[in-house]
Amino acid sequence: MVSKEKIGQRLTELRNEAGKTQQKVASDNGISVSAIAMYEAGKRIPRDEVKASLANYFHRSIEEIFFTP
């Protein structure tokens, strides 16, 4: 797995490319805004169900976001 910081950077980039707010991504994926903020800040890594949800949401593979260096 890549670092929490790199995952956070990727999630931020994907969200910005999609033109979404943290609030929108959180509500669309059934998680809190604080959780998204923590993921993007590199403070936490999402649990597996959230990884799958975010990958589907951004039309990327789980591997691409969370495991590719």
Side-chain angles (χ1 to χ4, degrees):
M1 186 178 296
V2 296
S3 71
K4 290 186 276 192
E5 292 80 13
K6 183 66 175 176
I7 291 169
Q9 179 183 8
R10 286 183 182 160
L11 290 173
T12 302
E13 289 170 2
L14 288 168
R15 181 176 57 77
N16 289 334
E17 287 171 10
K20 307 283 185 183
T21 63
Q22 287 182 336
Q23 177 70 45
K24 178 70 172 152
V25 173
S27 66
D28 288 350
N29 287 279
I31 56 179
S32 68
V33 175
S34 64
I36 286 289
M38 295 284 274
Y39 304 151
E40 289 185 2
K43 305 275 187 208
R44 290 177 43 194
I45 294 176
R47 62 186 188 278
D48 290 345
E49 309 87 63
V50 176
K51 285 179 188 163
S53 180
L54 290 170
N56 184 55
Y57 186 75
F58 291 120
H59 307 289
R60 299 292 197 283
S61 69
I62 294 170
E63 292 77 18
E64 181 181 351
I65 299 173
F66 299 99
F67 296 100
T68 303

